[in-house]
Amino acid sequence: MGRRALALIRPSPMHRAYRLLLRLLTLPLLAWLWWRGRREPGYRQRLAERLGWVDPAPSSMDGILIQAASVGEIQAARPLIQALQASWPLHALTVTTQTPTGAATLREHWGDAVQHLYAPLDTPGACARLLDRLQPRLLVLVERELWPEMMLQCRQRDIPVFLVNARLSERSARGYRRWPSLMQPVWSQLALVCAADAPTYARLQQLGVAAERMQETGNLKFDTPPPPIGDSEPVLPAGHPVIVAGSTHEQEEAQLLDAWPAFAQRHPQAMLVLVPRHPQRFDAVANTLTQRGIAHARRSRAEWPDETRRVLLGDTMGELTSWYRQATVCFIGGTLQPVGGHNALEAMAEGKPVLFGPHTRNFETLYTQIREAGAGRQVRSGAELFDTVDHWLAEDAAMKDTGRRALAYVLSQRGAVERTLAAWPLHLPTAYLDQAPEPVIRHAEQGQVAWYAREDLAGRGPAVFESGPEAGEPLATGSGRGQALRLTLGPADGVLRHYRRGGLIARFNPDRYWGWRAAESRAMAEYALLRWMRARGLPVPRPLAARRCGKGPRYTADILVEWIPGSRNLAQHLDSGDVAEADWIRLGEAIRRMHDLQVFHSDLNCHNLLLDSNRQAWIIDFDKCDRRSGHDWKAANLERLHRSLRKEAGRRPGFHWKESVWGGLIQGYGRTAPQKPRSP
């Protein structure tokens, strides 16, 4: 993106006040993250990413950015991510989370196959840095990650935003209504909203999301596949009633443990598996059990229930589904305590009857439908919970029927992923999905960082950049200072260029530049821009390799691009004869397509425009070029080309330039919907 906004949008007074507030809160928020890291060390890791100081893998640039808050959103996004990997495997995926537990869940499912970054604080600088460095082509928000500054920065960069698995309670909707001038631009910006349920659809429409940009696609969590049964899965003793209380909070645990001893007397073989919601509370819950005199085992210590210990503390991550799978009855936490409830689908997908409290606002539609389907029952206290379990144990057929209804309900609701992805092409240009950028292989060694488009080039290492004139054919350039060399590489030739300075400064510093980040060096910036343009069908050469050399802030740089067969630049064509009007039209079309995508060519001249043997027009040499906002600069860009033609005509005898042919280029520039270029 060249660290430039593509649209100049003036924030509202309310948004400017919001910016000021977030800036004032930045240090306190960072301090809070550091303080919270006492119990969860992950909060102290990679704090720079919270300010947008990220260093993403080069292959992830121009990919899809998925923003999810924590574990619940990652679980919701899981089937969507799997579908994206299958449907559009060349689109790199990056997922941002707010919490380290969300990051751990992502790594558990995908390892390094999906890049993880921490979501930035919602300040202008942090959001801009993330977007400028990652350059996503699409932002996908999961459930309700609606941050006004991030949305504004996406508007300025012309990045489409989708909201998937959208869930919005009436309480949250009322909060948004209090700040209309802050949130109205957000509602109008959303390119697509995939609502998880009908109430959310209605609330978002009332807030201002246009109906034509909304679909009720269902809850993605219904499509989450259950984890396979592995050899390392914990196995509880069989033949005994097992009550699993999942994702519990402090007040709920107190109620459950108050009622447990009486229930255990009535059912001495029963087991209680207690799984707290937050890992940082595992030790505190263990201490509570000890203080109450309740003998218990801890999963983290490889301890198991026995005749004297009928309570198991599930103090590990990623095993809740395993406990649900072996349960007789499941209680869903966050519902007896006024938290709003957690997701019951994991338990229901295992065919288990579920119990839950009255506080279900986070999943109000789901829990209403659970009651209507007879797939679970609401209770008001821990004592009532165990009374209900008593009743079910006495009527085994009714309990099993409730479990069957739970599984049938889950199966009936599946298909949200298919419906969600079917909506995407209707709200995006075809190029966003069909034309993916090429992967990038990154190597770093001995003060050199290099990007490669091909494995064979990566295998050559630095040698590919160190070819001398004897290894290829030197190529003339317009400035007289470029070092371009045509190399035979196979399967296609390449053009190697060493970056050099011009003018007076070149006498003292011919080829060294300043900058710390490899991705922002001359070579990588041009490589990334060429890769971005190629993915959108622009007639530019394919980038093959780029290198930054230097251990400190001073560096030299080289780039290797694919040779365009049969091509000569416009100056060479005019040296040998007239250029046909049809060729001028093609050149104008190519420039217009580049400008339509807001690409500014800093040195647009007759040496950087090519015509190949098929009369296809190409544009080359994108050093110091970027994407820019507005339109005023486009006429000046064309005028620069015009001046270069007049200049060459004045100093090159026999140069076949006439002012009258300029009209052909302008004619091509004014055309619409030009044809996609042929690949070289």
Side-chain angles (χ1 to χ4, degrees):
M1 295 296 186
R3 297 185 297 283
R4 289 177 180 268
L6 294 183
L8 302 178
I9 298 172
R10 184 182 296 276
S12 68
M14 178 60 71
H15 193 104
R16 289 197 292 271
Y18 173 83
R19 279 180 165 180
L20 176 61
L21 176 63
L22 264 292
R23 283 167 168 155
L24 292 174
L25 289 175
T26 295
L27 288 179
L29 286 171
L30 291 175
W32 178 80
L33 290 170
W34 183 262
W35 177 82
R36 190 166 180 180
R38 295 180 308 160
R39 293 185 178 182
E40 291 183 80
Y43 279 101
R44 292 185 176 182
Q45 298 170 359
R46 298 155 56 189
L47 274 177
E49 291 185 8
R50 309 283 187 171
L51 297 176
W53 299 107
V54 299
D55 190 18
S59 279
S60 67
M61 297 166 65
D62 196 23
I64 298 174
L65 173 60
I66 300 173
Q67 196 153 310
S70 191
V71 176
E73 290 78 9
I74 291 295
Q75 295 289 21
R78 183 181 166 198
L80 177 65
I81 292 173
Q82 291 175 334
L84 287 173
Q85 289 177 323
S87 300
W88 296 294
L90 295 181
H91 290 279
L93 302 179
T94 298
V95 176
T96 61
T97 66
Q98 305 281 357
T99 67
T101 51
T105 303
L106 186 74
R107 285 193 298 271
E108 175 189 341
H109 291 307
W110 289 283
D112 295 330
V114 176
Q115 178 176 248
H116 172 264
L117 300 171
Y118 280 115
L121 301 178
D122 203 39
T123 63
C127 294
R129 279 187 288 272
L130 174 72
L131 295 177
D132 288 339
R133 294 182 175 202
L134 190 60
Q135 301 180 20
R137 66 170 55 194
L138 174 65
L139 173 62
V140 180
L141 308 176
V142 180
E143 296 196 350
R144 210 188 69 199
E145 283 296 285
L146 297 165
W147 294 95
E149 183 61 34
M150 175 62 79
M151 299 291 283
L152 174 65
Q153 297 283 340
C154 287
R155 287 199 298 278
Q156 291 179 334
R157 288 160 179 77
D158 198 26
I159 299 172
V161 180
F162 286 178
L163 178 62
V164 301
N165 210 51
R167 294 191 303 110
L168 187 65
S169 66
E170 181 56 35
R171 179 182 177 184
S172 297
R174 286 197 302 269
Y176 287 138
R177 291 190 193 103
R178 294 192 189 102
W179 312 103
S181 62
L182 180 64
M183 295 305 300
Q184 190 56 46
V186 171
W187 310 130
S188 61
Q189 176 186 358
L190 292 169
L192 172 64
V193 173
C194 295
D197 51 58
T200 293
Y201 183 101
R203 288 170 189 143
L204 286 169
Q205 191 171 9
Q206 291 167 4
L207 285 169
V209 182
E212 62 269 18
R213 290 185 278 113
M214 294 183 64
Q215 290 193 30
E216 184 185 343
T217 53
N219 196 326
L220 292 174
K221 290 184 178 180
F222 284 108
D223 291 352
T224 302
I229 301 175
D231 295 335
S232 61
E233 179 169 276
V235 179
L236 294 170
H240 307 293
V242 177
I243 297 90
V244 175
S247 300
T248 58
H249 296 259
E250 184 176 4
Q251 296 174 23
E252 294 172 320
E253 292 150 5
Q255 292 190 48
L256 293 172
L257 295 178
D258 284 343
W260 168 253
F263 179 84
Q265 279 191 333
R266 298 192 299 272
H267 302 277
Q269 297 302 310
M271 287 179 286
L272 172 64
V273 180
L274 198 59
V275 187
R277 174 70 174 180
H278 300 295
Q280 65 268 27
R281 297 188 56 251
F282 288 159
D283 289 338
V285 177
N287 291 335
T288 299
L289 289 165
T290 301
Q291 291 168 5
R292 286 173 171 265
I294 299 176
H296 62 280
R298 294 188 67 168
R299 165 61 174 158
S300 62
R301 298 176 180 173
E303 298 171 349
W304 291 104
D306 53 32
E307 292 303 319
T308 60
R309 297 184 297 184
R310 307 305 295 172
V311 175
L312 173 64
L313 177 59
D315 55 347
T316 53
M317 293 291 293
E319 293 186 331
L320 182 57
T321 302
S322 298
W323 304 129
Y324 283 152
R325 186 175 284 156
Q326 300 173 73
T328 306
V329 177
C330 299
F331 165 70
I332 310 303
T335 57
L336 281 178
Q337 185 173 331
V339 171
H342 299 302
N343 188 13
L345 295 180
E346 282 183 272
M348 296 172 67
E350 298 296 333
K352 306 299 179 181
V354 294
L355 296 172
F356 50 90
H359 303 289
T360 58
R361 68 173 184 272
N362 292 342
F363 295 89
E364 55 184 345
T365 301
L366 171 62
Y367 282 101
T368 297
Q369 293 174 345
I370 289 174
R371 289 193 295 268
E372 292 173 350
R377 186 174 298 180
Q378 181 178 304
V379 296
R380 290 167 292 183
S381 66
E384 185 179 345
L385 183 150
F386 283 113
D387 287 343
T388 304
V389 176
D390 262 334
H391 174 75
W392 273 348
L393 291 177
E395 298 189 15
D396 184 66
M399 180 175 62
K400 290 182 177 178
D401 182 63
T402 304
R404 285 193 291 269
R405 289 172 181 267
L407 178 58
Y409 172 75
V410 171
L411 295 177
S412 70
Q413 298 296 312
R414 287 183 173 169
V417 169
E418 182 180 352
R419 291 188 290 270
T420 297
L421 291 187
W424 285 27
L426 306 177
H427 298 269
L428 278 179
T430 303
Y432 271 84
L433 302 174
D434 294 344
Q435 298 175 1
E438 292 185 331
V440 181
I441 305 165
R442 182 183 184 275
H443 283 189
E445 57 179 330
Q446 299 178 347
Q448 298 187 27
V449 178
W451 295 356
Y452 302 95
R454 294 178 2 205
E455 289 283 357
D456 63 311
L457 295 176
R460 297 190 188 189
V464 74
F465 299 102
E466 294 166 2
S467 303
E470 69 284 351
E473 173 190 352
L475 299 175
T477 65
S479 64
R481 57 184 168 89
Q483 299 292 313
L485 187 69
R486 178 178 173 183
L487 302 177
T488 301
L489 300 173
D493 289 357
V495 177
L496 176 65
R497 192 172 82 250
H498 182 72
Y499 290 86
R500 289 191 174 274
R501 293 186 179 275
L504 181 62
I505 194 173
R507 296 176 179 269
F508 310 98
N509 181 17
D511 64 350
R512 291 194 176 271
Y513 303 89
W514 289 89
W516 285 99
R517 289 189 68 239
E520 293 175 355
S521 67
R522 291 286 187 99
M524 276 62 175
E526 183 171 355
Y527 185 111
L529 183 59
L530 286 171
R531 178 175 175 265
W532 185 91
M533 291 189 291
R534 289 278 298 185
R536 286 151 181 81
L538 288 182
V540 298
R542 179 191 181 195
L544 298 178
R547 177 176 70 163
R548 179 198 187 275
C549 293
K551 294 183 178 180
R554 298 190 72 199
Y555 69 89
T556 61
D558 308 274
I559 190 168
L560 179 68
V561 301
E562 198 165 80
W563 168 258
I564 299 170
S567 64
R568 292 190 300 162
N569 67 42
L570 181 56
Q572 291 170 327
H573 279 282
L574 290 171
D575 272 334
S576 58
D578 290 330
V579 172
E581 182 181 14
D583 293 332
W584 287 107
I585 291 174
R586 293 187 186 99
L587 291 167
E589 289 176 346
I591 298 169
R592 174 59 182 268
R593 294 177 61 202
M594 179 180 71
H595 283 177
D596 282 347
L597 288 174
Q598 299 299 124
V599 177
F600 165 74
H601 197 299
S602 64
D603 192 21
L604 190 63
N605 61 54
C606 58
H607 300 276
N608 292 331
L609 295 176
L610 309 184
L611 289 166
D612 63 21
S613 55
N614 294 319
R615 317 311 291 179
Q616 168 64 51
W618 299 85
I619 309 173
I620 63 169
D621 196 0
F622 285 86
D623 181 27
K624 297 189 294 184
C625 301
D626 57 23
R627 297 181 66 204
R628 292 196 173 182
S629 61
H631 304 283
D632 294 344
W633 54 268
K634 296 177 182 179
N637 215 204
L638 282 173
E639 183 54 31
R640 181 184 182 89
L641 170 61
H642 199 177
R643 285 198 308 270
S644 78
L645 288 164
R646 293 197 297 261
K647 178 180 177 181
E648 294 299 328
R651 70 180 188 180
R652 297 167 77 138
F655 195 70
H656 292 254
W657 159 254
K658 306 179 189 68
E659 285 289 338
S660 58
V661 300
W662 181 250
L665 186 141
I666 296 302
Q667 179 185 347
Y669 187 85
R671 286 190 175 186
T672 58
Q675 296 297 311
K676 180 180 176 181
R678 297 181 294 272
S679 297

Short mmCIF file of all heavy atoms in Angstrom, two decimals, residues 63-108:
data_model
loop_
_atom_site.label_atom_id
_atom_site.label_comp_id
_atom_site.label_asym_id
_atom_site.label_seq_id
_atom_site.Cartn_x
_atom_site.Cartn_y
_atom_site.Cartn_z
N GLY A 63 -3.17 -11.24 1.25
CA GLY A 63 -3.99 -12.39 1.55
C GLY A 63 -5.28 -11.98 2.24
O GLY A 63 -5.74 -10.85 2.13
N ILE A 64 -5.86 -12.91 2.96
CA ILE A 64 -7.12 -12.70 3.68
C ILE A 64 -6.81 -12.58 5.16
O ILE A 64 -6.16 -13.45 5.74
CB ILE A 64 -8.11 -13.84 3.42
CG1 ILE A 64 -8.46 -13.90 1.92
CG2 ILE A 64 -9.37 -13.68 4.24
CD1 ILE A 64 -9.31 -15.10 1.54
N LEU A 65 -7.28 -11.51 5.77
CA LEU A 65 -7.09 -11.27 7.20
C LEU A 65 -8.39 -11.59 7.92
O LEU A 65 -9.45 -11.03 7.59
CB LEU A 65 -6.68 -9.82 7.45
CG LEU A 65 -6.61 -9.37 8.92
CD1 LEU A 65 -5.60 -10.20 9.70
CD2 LEU A 65 -6.26 -7.88 9.00
N ILE A 66 -8.31 -12.48 8.89
CA ILE A 66 -9.47 -12.87 9.70
C ILE A 66 -9.24 -12.35 11.11
O ILE A 66 -8.23 -12.67 11.73
CB ILE A 66 -9.67 -14.40 9.70
CG1 ILE A 66 -9.89 -14.90 8.27
CG2 ILE A 66 -10.84 -14.79 10.60
CD1 ILE A 66 -9.94 -16.40 8.15
N GLN A 67 -10.18 -11.57 11.61
CA GLN A 67 -10.05 -10.98 12.93
C GLN A 67 -11.01 -11.66 13.89
O GLN A 67 -12.23 -11.58 13.72
CB GLN A 67 -10.31 -9.47 12.87
CG GLN A 67 -9.81 -8.73 14.09
CD GLN A 67 -9.48 -7.28 13.77
OE1 GLN A 67 -8.77 -7.00 12.82
NE2 GLN A 67 -9.99 -6.37 14.56
N ALA A 68 -10.45 -12.36 14.88
CA ALA A 68 -11.24 -13.10 15.87
C ALA A 68 -10.72 -12.73 17.25
O ALA A 68 -9.52 -12.58 17.45
CB ALA A 68 -11.12 -14.61 15.64
N ALA A 69 -11.63 -12.61 18.21
CA ALA A 69 -11.23 -12.11 19.51
C ALA A 69 -10.49 -13.16 20.33
O ALA A 69 -9.37 -12.94 20.78
CB ALA A 69 -12.45 -11.61 20.28
N SER A 70 -11.11 -14.32 20.54
CA SER A 70 -10.52 -15.29 21.45
C SER A 70 -10.92 -16.70 21.03
O SER A 70 -11.21 -16.95 19.87
CB SER A 70 -10.96 -14.99 22.89
OG SER A 70 -10.20 -15.76 23.81
N VAL A 71 -10.95 -17.61 22.02
CA VAL A 71 -11.15 -19.02 21.73
C VAL A 71 -12.49 -19.26 21.04
O VAL A 71 -12.57 -20.00 20.04
CB VAL A 71 -11.08 -19.85 23.03
CG1 VAL A 71 -11.39 -21.31 22.74
CG2 VAL A 71 -9.70 -19.72 23.66
N GLY A 72 -13.55 -18.63 21.54
CA GLY A 72 -14.87 -18.86 20.95
C GLY A 72 -14.94 -18.47 19.49
O GLY A 72 -15.50 -19.20 18.66
N GLU A 73 -14.37 -17.33 19.15
CA GLU A 73 -14.38 -16.88 17.76
C GLU A 73 -13.48 -17.75 16.88
O GLU A 73 -13.80 -18.00 15.71
CB GLU A 73 -13.94 -15.42 17.69
CG GLU A 73 -14.94 -14.43 18.26
CD GLU A 73 -14.93 -14.38 19.78
OE1 GLU A 73 -14.02 -14.99 20.40
OE2 GLU A 73 -15.81 -13.72 20.36
N ILE A 74 -12.36 -18.22 17.44
CA ILE A 74 -11.51 -19.13 16.68
C ILE A 74 -12.25 -20.43 16.38
O ILE A 74 -12.19 -20.96 15.27
CB ILE A 74 -10.20 -19.43 17.44
CG1 ILE A 74 -9.32 -18.17 17.50
CG2 ILE A 74 -9.44 -20.58 16.79
CD1 ILE A 74 -8.81 -17.71 16.17
N GLN A 75 -12.97 -20.94 17.38
CA GLN A 75 -13.75 -22.15 17.14
C GLN A 75 -14.83 -21.92 16.10
O GLN A 75 -15.11 -22.79 15.27
CB GLN A 75 -14.38 -22.63 18.46
CG GLN A 75 -13.35 -23.06 19.52
CD GLN A 75 -12.65 -24.37 19.18
OE1 GLN A 75 -12.62 -24.79 18.03
NE2 GLN A 75 -12.07 -25.00 20.19
N ALA A 76 -15.45 -20.73 16.14
CA ALA A 76 -16.46 -20.42 15.13
C ALA A 76 -15.85 -20.34 13.74
O ALA A 76 -16.44 -20.76 12.75
CB ALA A 76 -17.16 -19.11 15.48
N ALA A 77 -14.64 -19.77 13.66
CA ALA A 77 -13.98 -19.59 12.37
C ALA A 77 -13.34 -20.87 11.85
O ALA A 77 -12.97 -20.93 10.67
CB ALA A 77 -12.91 -18.50 12.48
N ARG A 78 -13.23 -21.85 12.70
CA ARG A 78 -12.50 -23.07 12.30
C ARG A 78 -13.04 -23.72 11.03
O ARG A 78 -12.28 -23.98 10.09
CB ARG A 78 -12.52 -24.06 13.48
CG ARG A 78 -11.74 -25.33 13.22
CD ARG A 78 -11.82 -26.25 14.42
NE ARG A 78 -11.37 -27.59 14.08
CZ ARG A 78 -11.64 -28.67 14.80
NH1 ARG A 78 -12.34 -28.53 15.92
NH2 ARG A 78 -11.20 -29.85 14.44
N PRO A 79 -14.34 -24.00 10.92
CA PRO A 79 -14.81 -24.60 9.66
C PRO A 79 -14.67 -23.67 8.47
O PRO A 79 -14.46 -24.12 7.34
CB PRO A 79 -16.28 -24.93 9.96
CG PRO A 79 -16.66 -24.03 11.08
CD PRO A 79 -15.43 -23.86 11.90
N LEU A 80 -14.76 -22.35 8.70
CA LEU A 80 -14.58 -21.40 7.61
C LEU A 80 -13.14 -21.42 7.11
O LEU A 80 -12.89 -21.41 5.90
CB LEU A 80 -14.96 -20.00 8.08
CG LEU A 80 -14.77 -18.87 7.06
CD1 LEU A 80 -15.70 -19.06 5.87
CD2 LEU A 80 -14.99 -17.51 7.71
N ILE A 81 -12.19 -21.45 8.03
CA ILE A 81 -10.78 -21.49 7.63
C ILE A 81 -10.49 -22.76 6.85
O ILE A 81 -9.80 -22.73 5.82
CB ILE A 81 -9.89 -21.39 8.87
CG1 ILE A 81 -10.01 -19.99 9.50
CG2 ILE A 81 -8.42 -21.67 8.53
CD1 ILE A 81 -9.29 -19.83 10.82
N GLN A 82 -11.02 -23.88 7.31
CA GLN A 82 -10.82 -25.13 6.58
C GLN A 82 -11.41 -25.05 5.18
O GLN A 82 -10.80 -25.52 4.21
CB GLN A 82 -11.45 -26.29 7.36
CG GLN A 82 -10.73 -26.62 8.65
CD GLN A 82 -11.44 -27.69 9.47
OE1 GLN A 82 -12.65 -27.85 9.36
NE2 GLN A 82 -10.70 -28.40 10.29
N ALA A 83 -12.57 -24.44 5.05
CA ALA A 83 -13.20 -24.31 3.73
C ALA A 83 -12.41 -23.37 2.83
O ALA A 83 -12.27 -23.61 1.62
CB ALA A 83 -14.63 -23.82 3.88
N LEU A 84 -11.88 -22.28 3.40
CA LEU A 84 -11.07 -21.36 2.61
C LEU A 84 -9.80 -22.04 2.11
O LEU A 84 -9.38 -21.83 0.97
CB LEU A 84 -10.71 -20.13 3.45
CG LEU A 84 -11.84 -19.14 3.72
CD1 LEU A 84 -11.38 -18.06 4.69
CD2 LEU A 84 -12.32 -18.50 2.42
N GLN A 85 -9.18 -22.84 2.95
CA GLN A 85 -7.98 -23.54 2.53
C GLN A 85 -8.27 -24.52 1.40
O GLN A 85 -7.42 -24.74 0.53
CB GLN A 85 -7.36 -24.28 3.72
CG GLN A 85 -6.73 -23.37 4.75
CD GLN A 85 -6.19 -24.12 5.95
OE1 GLN A 85 -6.79 -25.10 6.39
NE2 GLN A 85 -5.07 -23.69 6.48
N ALA A 86 -9.46 -25.09 1.40
CA ALA A 86 -9.83 -26.03 0.35
C ALA A 86 -10.28 -25.31 -0.92
O ALA A 86 -9.95 -25.72 -2.04
CB ALA A 86 -10.94 -26.96 0.84
N SER A 87 -11.04 -24.20 -0.77
CA SER A 87 -11.61 -23.52 -1.93
C SER A 87 -10.62 -22.59 -2.61
O SER A 87 -10.59 -22.50 -3.84
CB SER A 87 -12.85 -22.72 -1.49
OG SER A 87 -13.83 -23.55 -0.94
N TRP A 88 -9.83 -21.87 -1.82
CA TRP A 88 -8.87 -20.91 -2.37
C TRP A 88 -7.51 -21.11 -1.71
O TRP A 88 -7.05 -20.28 -0.91
CB TRP A 88 -9.37 -19.47 -2.14
CG TRP A 88 -10.64 -19.20 -2.87
CD1 TRP A 88 -10.83 -19.16 -4.22
CD2 TRP A 88 -11.93 -18.95 -2.29
NE1 TRP A 88 -12.14 -18.90 -4.52
CE2 TRP A 88 -12.84 -18.76 -3.36
CE3 TRP A 88 -12.40 -18.85 -0.98
CZ2 TRP A 88 -14.19 -18.49 -3.15
CZ3 TRP A 88 -13.75 -18.59 -0.77
CH2 TRP A 88 -14.62 -18.41 -1.85
N PRO A 89 -6.86 -22.24 -2.01
CA PRO A 89 -5.62 -22.60 -1.29
C PRO A 89 -4.47 -21.63 -1.50
O PRO A 89 -3.54 -21.61 -0.70
CB PRO A 89 -5.29 -23.99 -1.85
CG PRO A 89 -5.97 -24.03 -3.20
CD PRO A 89 -7.22 -23.23 -3.04
N LEU A 90 -4.50 -20.82 -2.58
CA LEU A 90 -3.39 -19.91 -2.83
C LEU A 90 -3.52 -18.60 -2.07
O LEU A 90 -2.58 -17.79 -2.07
CB LEU A 90 -3.28 -19.63 -4.33
CG LEU A 90 -2.93 -20.84 -5.20
CD1 LEU A 90 -2.84 -20.43 -6.67
CD2 LEU A 90 -1.63 -21.49 -4.76
N HIS A 91 -4.65 -18.37 -1.42
CA HIS A 91 -4.83 -17.15 -0.63
C HIS A 91 -4.30 -17.40 0.78
O HIS A 91 -4.87 -18.20 1.53
CB HIS A 91 -6.30 -16.75 -0.58
CG HIS A 91 -6.84 -16.24 -1.88
ND1 HIS A 91 -6.65 -14.95 -2.30
CD2 HIS A 91 -7.55 -16.85 -2.85
CE1 HIS A 91 -7.23 -14.78 -3.48
NE2 HIS A 91 -7.78 -15.91 -3.84
N ALA A 92 -3.22 -16.74 1.13
CA ALA A 92 -2.66 -16.91 2.46
C ALA A 92 -3.62 -16.35 3.50
O ALA A 92 -4.25 -15.31 3.28
CB ALA A 92 -1.31 -16.20 2.56
N LEU A 93 -3.72 -17.04 4.63
CA LEU A 93 -4.62 -16.63 5.70
C LEU A 93 -3.82 -16.14 6.89
O LEU A 93 -2.86 -16.78 7.31
CB LEU A 93 -5.51 -17.80 6.13
CG LEU A 93 -6.39 -18.43 5.05
CD1 LEU A 93 -7.19 -19.59 5.64
CD2 LEU A 93 -7.33 -17.41 4.44
N THR A 94 -4.23 -15.00 7.43
CA THR A 94 -3.68 -14.47 8.66
C THR A 94 -4.83 -14.27 9.63
O THR A 94 -5.87 -13.73 9.26
CB THR A 94 -2.96 -13.13 8.43
OG1 THR A 94 -1.86 -13.34 7.53
CG2 THR A 94 -2.43 -12.56 9.74
N VAL A 95 -4.65 -14.71 10.87
CA VAL A 95 -5.69 -14.57 11.89
C VAL A 95 -5.13 -13.74 13.03
O VAL A 95 -4.04 -14.00 13.53
CB VAL A 95 -6.15 -15.94 12.41
CG1 VAL A 95 -7.17 -15.77 13.54
CG2 VAL A 95 -6.75 -16.77 11.29
N THR A 96 -5.86 -12.70 13.42
CA THR A 96 -5.49 -11.92 14.59
C THR A 96 -6.43 -12.26 15.74
O THR A 96 -7.62 -12.49 15.53
CB THR A 96 -5.57 -10.41 14.32
OG1 THR A 96 -6.92 -10.05 13.98
CG2 THR A 96 -4.64 -10.01 13.18
N THR A 97 -5.88 -12.29 16.95
CA THR A 97 -6.69 -12.51 18.15
C THR A 97 -6.31 -11.47 19.19
O THR A 97 -5.24 -10.87 19.13
CB THR A 97 -6.47 -13.91 18.74
OG1 THR A 97 -5.12 -14.02 19.22
CG2 THR A 97 -6.72 -15.00 17.71
N GLN A 98 -7.19 -11.31 20.16
CA GLN A 98 -6.92 -10.43 21.29
C GLN A 98 -6.20 -11.17 22.41
O GLN A 98 -5.44 -10.57 23.16
CB GLN A 98 -8.23 -9.85 21.83
CG GLN A 98 -9.09 -9.11 20.82
CD GLN A 98 -8.59 -7.71 20.53
OE1 GLN A 98 -7.63 -7.26 21.12
NE2 GLN A 98 -9.26 -7.03 19.61
N THR A 99 -6.45 -12.46 22.54
CA THR A 99 -5.97 -13.21 23.70
C THR A 99 -4.96 -14.28 23.30
O THR A 99 -5.01 -14.84 22.20
CB THR A 99 -7.15 -13.91 24.41
OG1 THR A 99 -7.67 -14.92 23.54
CG2 THR A 99 -8.25 -12.91 24.75
N PRO A 100 -4.03 -14.60 24.22
CA PRO A 100 -3.10 -15.70 23.95
C PRO A 100 -3.78 -17.06 23.92
O PRO A 100 -3.28 -17.97 23.24
CB PRO A 100 -2.08 -15.59 25.10
CG PRO A 100 -2.73 -14.79 26.15
CD PRO A 100 -3.70 -13.88 25.46
N THR A 101 -4.90 -17.22 24.62
CA THR A 101 -5.61 -18.50 24.53
C THR A 101 -6.20 -18.70 23.14
O THR A 101 -6.23 -19.82 22.62
CB THR A 101 -6.73 -18.58 25.59
OG1 THR A 101 -7.54 -17.40 25.50
CG2 THR A 101 -6.15 -18.67 26.98
N GLY A 102 -6.64 -17.60 22.52
CA GLY A 102 -7.08 -17.69 21.14
C GLY A 102 -5.95 -18.07 20.22
O GLY A 102 -6.11 -18.89 19.30
N ALA A 103 -4.75 -17.50 20.47
CA ALA A 103 -3.58 -17.85 19.67
C ALA A 103 -3.21 -19.32 19.85
O ALA A 103 -2.86 -20.01 18.89
CB ALA A 103 -2.41 -16.95 20.06
N ALA A 104 -3.30 -19.80 21.09
CA ALA A 104 -2.97 -21.20 21.35
C ALA A 104 -3.95 -22.13 20.66
O ALA A 104 -3.55 -23.19 20.13
CB ALA A 104 -2.97 -21.45 22.86
N THR A 105 -5.22 -21.77 20.64
CA THR A 105 -6.22 -22.59 19.95
C THR A 105 -5.95 -22.63 18.46
O THR A 105 -6.07 -23.69 17.82
CB THR A 105 -7.63 -22.03 20.22
OG1 THR A 105 -7.86 -21.98 21.62
CG2 THR A 105 -8.69 -22.89 19.56
N LEU A 106 -5.57 -21.48 17.90
CA LEU A 106 -5.24 -21.44 16.47
C LEU A 106 -4.06 -22.35 16.17
O LEU A 106 -4.08 -23.13 15.20
CB LEU A 106 -4.93 -20.00 16.06
CG LEU A 106 -4.70 -19.76 14.57
CD1 LEU A 106 -6.01 -19.81 13.81
CD2 LEU A 106 -4.01 -18.42 14.35
N ARG A 107 -3.00 -22.27 16.98
CA ARG A 107 -1.82 -23.12 16.76
C ARG A 107 -2.16 -24.59 16.93
O ARG A 107 -1.62 -25.45 16.22
CB ARG A 107 -0.70 -22.72 17.72
CG ARG A 107 0.01 -21.43 17.34
CD ARG A 107 1.30 -21.28 18.14
NE ARG A 107 1.02 -21.19 19.58
CZ ARG A 107 0.78 -20.05 20.22
NH1 ARG A 107 0.77 -18.91 19.54
NH2 ARG A 107 0.56 -20.05 21.52
N GLU A 108 -3.05 -24.88 17.87
CA GLU A 108 -3.43 -26.27 18.10
C GLU A 108 -4.06 -26.89 16.85
O GLU A 108 -3.81 -28.05 16.53
CB GLU A 108 -4.42 -26.33 19.28
CG GLU A 108 -4.99 -27.71 19.55
CD GLU A 108 -6.13 -27.66 20.56
OE1 GLU A 108 -6.23 -26.65 21.31
OE2 GLU A 108 -6.92 -28.61 20.59
#
